[in-house]
Amino acid sequence: MNKLASANGINPRLAIALALTTLATGFFTTACTGKGGTAADGNTVKIVSSLPMTGSGIGQNQTIVNGIKQVLDETNSTACNGKVKIQYESYDDATAAAGKWDPAQVTSNANKAVADKSVVAVIGHFNSGAAKLSIPILNKSNLVMVSPANTYPGLTKPGKGEANEPNVYYPNGKRNYARVVPADDLQGVAGAKWAKSLGAKKVFILDDQELYGKGLADIFEATAKKEGLQVLGHEGIDAKASEYKALMTKIKALGPDLIYFGGTTQTNAGQLIKDMRNVGMGADKVKFMGPDGTFEKALIDAAGKDAEGVYATFGGVPAKELKGTGQKWYESYKKKYTAEPEAYAAYGYESAKVIVDAINKVCKNDRDAIREAVLNTKDFNGVLGTWSFDPNGDTTLTTLSGNVVKNGKWEFVSVLKAQ
């Protein structure tokens, strides 16, 4: 907020009138331009996250929040040699009624962030469908969002989604979204190639009919066909169904050796696995593979003993497989939280680190300048390795991994390549 002008030598009433006019003008300019304005305290900025903190996704997303908090603890919640204070607030983009991310809550959070003039960056979302709703709202105020988990290609890459994507998400013509995780056009390809290397010849594909899940399933299907796999069918499921025995009985009759599910734990992957096993498709005969949306402890909890032998791809490598700076982070996380980090904890840490780095370059509450600094991140030496954001806001990292549930825990199998 602008400081009041000194009233020395000025009629007191005139000084008060001038002060009120200055305040009113500043408020009006901020409210009407949508540029973001300045915080009440010019030396304080805020980072917020918008993640599903209600429902089964809380385990995964709490570790993302833990990673964010680690960064702020390491910097004593300051930037610019202590001149700028950084606050952090965690928003929940899920509701108990939905049991996962909720569109109304997502847009409410985005508008809340825009309205809080101290907010200079958003970390989120976990789900690509949620990001699709938030990005345009934040874009109008030049508010940057860095995602630790969104992977739908159409959010950033021309020709990889719908005809109007990605430009439809950026109404002011500037990019305000970036992600530190490789997109699905890489993961879907790597998943299909891995399925073939695991010995699959006939696959049946399911998806949850959401942006992320269907997009991945479509890419997996196209690649599977190129790789010479026989695609027996591809169906969308009702993610709120109580069981899928009839569907699995139908699939069993077709004789697949692998079922691929484009979806998440929260869109009923656990129940699909249970019913697949219940109708006689044992892990020794028919493999089940999911994407990174199933690569979490919550999937094992949901499927129970039937999770054994389930495969999942991930747009990176698990925390304990990180090297160098990443390995040091992994050890510090375990020491701080006395627990293993879930898959995306390192990506939450990296997202926050990139944003704090941008704040250190700008050293003031300037949403547009911080947005630009984030998008211009180059040769960043982080816990994930050394990487940059490309012109679309995508990471230059392309390493992925394959993982399997063994003895009730996820285990790293191998590095996967999409090329």
Side-chain angles (χ1 to χ4, degrees):
M1 186 174 289
N2 294 328
K3 294 180 180 179
L4 298 180
S6 171
N8 290 341
I10 301 178
N11 180 288
R13 290 183 178 178
L14 178 58
I16 293 171
L18 287 170
L20 290 173
T21 299
T22 301
L23 287 170
T25 301
F27 175 80
F28 182 81
T29 301
T30 298
C32 293
T33 61
K35 296 292 184 182
T38 56
D41 179 354
N43 295 323
T44 300
V45 297
K46 184 187 288 185
I47 299 170
V48 300
S49 60
S50 191
L51 302 162
M53 305 299 290
T54 298
S56 63
I58 188 171
Q60 177 77 267
N61 287 282
Q62 183 59 58
T63 66
I64 294 176
V65 170
N66 289 348
I68 296 168
K69 289 180 176 178
Q70 267 185 289
V71 172
L72 298 178
D73 288 346
E74 289 168 2
T75 60
N76 198 27
S77 294
T78 62
C80 306
N81 296 317
K83 295 177 183 178
V84 176
K85 296 178 182 178
I86 304 175
Q87 296 177 343
Y88 168 64
E89 186 175 352
S90 171
Y91 295 171
D92 187 352
D93 70 13
T95 61
K100 61 185 185 72
W101 73 275
D102 185 299
Q105 191 62 46
V106 165
T107 55
S108 175
N109 287 354
N111 285 313
K112 179 181 177 182
V114 167
D116 184 346
K117 302 307 175 184
S118 65
V119 175
V120 296
V122 178
I123 296 175
H125 293 265
F126 185 76
N127 303 89
S128 296
K132 180 179 180 179
L133 300 177
S134 276
I135 295 170
I137 296 172
L138 304 179
N139 180 262
K140 293 175 183 178
S141 294
N142 288 317
L143 188 50
V144 70
M145 180 161 72
V146 180
S147 176
N150 295 160
T151 51
Y152 173 62
L155 297 174
T156 57
K157 301 184 179 189
K160 296 290 185 177
E162 301 296 328
N164 60 349
E165 291 176 335
N167 290 343
V168 67
Y169 304 120
Y170 307 99
N172 76 0
K174 299 177 183 178
R175 292 295 183 100
N176 67 307
Y177 169 81
R179 51 185 161 201
V180 297
V181 62
D184 292 336
D185 55 325
L186 298 178
Q187 189 179 176
V189 170
K193 290 186 174 184
W194 190 34
K196 182 179 180 180
S197 72
L198 290 172
K201 293 181 173 60
K202 297 184 289 182
V203 301
F204 196 98
I205 301 168
L206 298 170
D207 70 68
D208 61 7
Q209 303 190 67
E210 290 195 4
L211 191 68
Y212 160 81
K214 187 178 186 309
L216 254 172
D218 287 345
I219 295 167
F220 180 95
E221 179 178 4
T223 308
K225 290 177 178 177
K226 289 180 182 177
E227 292 293 316
L229 300 179
Q230 182 182 357
V231 176
L232 301 173
H234 182 168
E235 290 190 21
I237 67 160
D238 175 2
K240 294 183 178 180
S242 59
E243 51 88 14
Y244 304 96
K245 290 180 182 177
L247 171 63
M248 288 302 174
T249 299
K250 181 180 75 172
I251 294 173
K252 180 184 178 183
L254 298 173
D257 41 39
L258 184 142
I259 294 175
Y260 181 84
F261 176 53
T264 67
T265 305
Q266 291 69 45
T267 52
N268 235 356
Q271 191 61 45
L272 284 172
I273 295 166
K274 284 182 177 181
D275 289 333
M276 171 187 178
R277 303 308 186 209
N278 285 341
V279 301
M281 288 189 280
D284 58 332
K285 296 180 180 178
V286 185
K287 297 177 176 65
F288 183 96
M289 182 184 290
D292 49 2
T294 63
F295 183 44
E296 57 182 352
K297 183 178 181 295
L299 186 279
I300 299 173
D301 294 340
K305 61 179 178 57
D306 293 321
E308 198 71 12
V310 165
Y311 294 87
T313 54
F314 176 58
V317 295
K320 63 182 178 181
E321 301 297 328
L322 294 170
K323 308 298 181 185
T325 303
Q327 186 63 29
K328 291 179 182 177
W329 165 81
Y330 171 68
E331 295 299 336
S332 70
Y333 183 100
K334 288 198 300 179
K335 183 177 180 180
K336 184 177 181 65
Y337 297 108
T338 62
E340 284 282 330
E342 291 231 29
Y344 283 103
Y347 294 80
Y349 180 94
E350 199 86 323
S351 297
K353 198 79 171 176
V354 166
I355 290 169
V356 171
D357 184 63
I359 293 171
N360 272 306
K361 291 175 181 175
V362 176
C363 289
K364 61 180 178 178
N365 184 335
D366 187 329
R367 286 179 174 177
D368 195 35
I370 290 172
R371 176 201 63 80
E372 187 173 359
V374 168
L375 270 294
N376 285 331
T377 297
K378 294 288 183 287
D379 299 321
F380 189 81
N381 183 20
V383 298
L384 304 178
T386 301
W387 56 273
S388 304
F389 283 135
D390 71 12
N392 291 323
D394 282 299
T395 177
T396 54
L397 293 173
T398 58
T399 301
L400 301 97
S401 65
N403 306 273
V404 67
V405 178
K406 189 174 181 180
N407 298 321
K409 294 181 179 180
W410 284 108
E411 285 195 5
F412 171 73
V413 177
S414 64
V415 169
L416 303 178
K417 294 291 185 181
Q419 305 301 327

